[in-house]
Amino acid sequence: FYLHSRLLERAARLSEEEGGGSITALPIIETQAGDISAYIPTNVISITDGQIFLESELFYSGFRPAVNVGLSVSRVGGTAQAKALRKVASRLRLDLAQYRELSAFAQFGADLDRLTQDKLAQGARILEALKQSQGAPLPLSEQVLTLYAASNGQLSDIEIPQLRDFYSRLRAYVRDNRPELLEAIASSAEMDRETEAGFKQAIELFLAMNRTGA
């Protein structure tokens, strides 16, 4: 614990007299069989501002970056997020936590009611939205668009395997036809009611085009 503390003390904000700036410590720890409660992980977790827990099972299932949203924690919370992203992501953690619990339960082959099936389908849609192609980061505005589309329940007719392609084509459609919506978020980092209504309308129009094959 003492060694870990000394290492993290090297992360600091530099004085303005010396030019300012900051140093961020990012300790990387390999867990044994995914056990986050072991001695070394808990030591470091207790003296940092949170942790990103990467899970090999998620990685090999195609979920990359393979971040376990249930075990990853930020003590800074949503205050570090842009307001637009915080608005659309506010329910993601709860929805994904419910999805993981229900999917584990569903593995036992129990009969599932319609509400449970809908929650599983919604969680799967959000997971597809969080999968990122290697070397292809998205600007904030397109992150907001994708998460909004995944979380507002408009995509119930799209098959899960088709979603990643759908999200990509949706972003291209909005870039080409409603660029002012993306520009509004890029300039203010917020999503007001007008922009949200524009996103909803753009998604509805694109869905209609998708159904007709246009």
Side-chain angles (χ1 to χ4, degrees), residues 104-138:
F105 178 74
Q107 291 178 354
F108 293 103
D111 292 333
L112 304 176
D113 58 39
R114 184 56 184 269
L115 180 60
T116 302
Q117 293 176 19
D118 290 344
K119 285 186 176 294
L120 285 170
Q122 177 65 7
R125 285 176 169 79
I126 294 173
L127 280 179
E128 290 299 312
L130 294 176
K131 290 180 180 178
Q132 180 177 322
S133 299
Q134 187 170 354
L138 297 178

Side-chain angles (χ1 to χ4, degrees), residues 156-175:
S156 57
D157 295 337
I158 307 296
E159 297 294 330
I160 303 298
Q162 300 173 358
L163 275 171
R164 289 192 72 186
D165 178 64
F166 177 87
Y167 289 133
S168 178
R169 291 188 293 111
L170 172 63
R171 291 192 291 266
Y173 171 79
V174 175
R175 281 197 303 268

Side-chain angles (χ1 to χ4, degrees), residues 13 17-18 21 29 37-38 43-44 49 63 65 70 99 111 132 141 143 145 149 158 163 165 176 180 191 197 209 212:
R13 183 160 188 83
E17 291 79 7
E18 300 296 332
I29 301 169
S37 63
N43 267 356
V44 178
D49 291 325
F63 185 81
Y99 170 76
D111 292 333
Q132 180 177 322
S141 56
Q143 292 179 41
L145 169 63
I158 307 296
L163 275 171
D165 178 64
D176 294 340
E180 74 279 2
M191 183 170 70
M209 291 171 55
T212 59

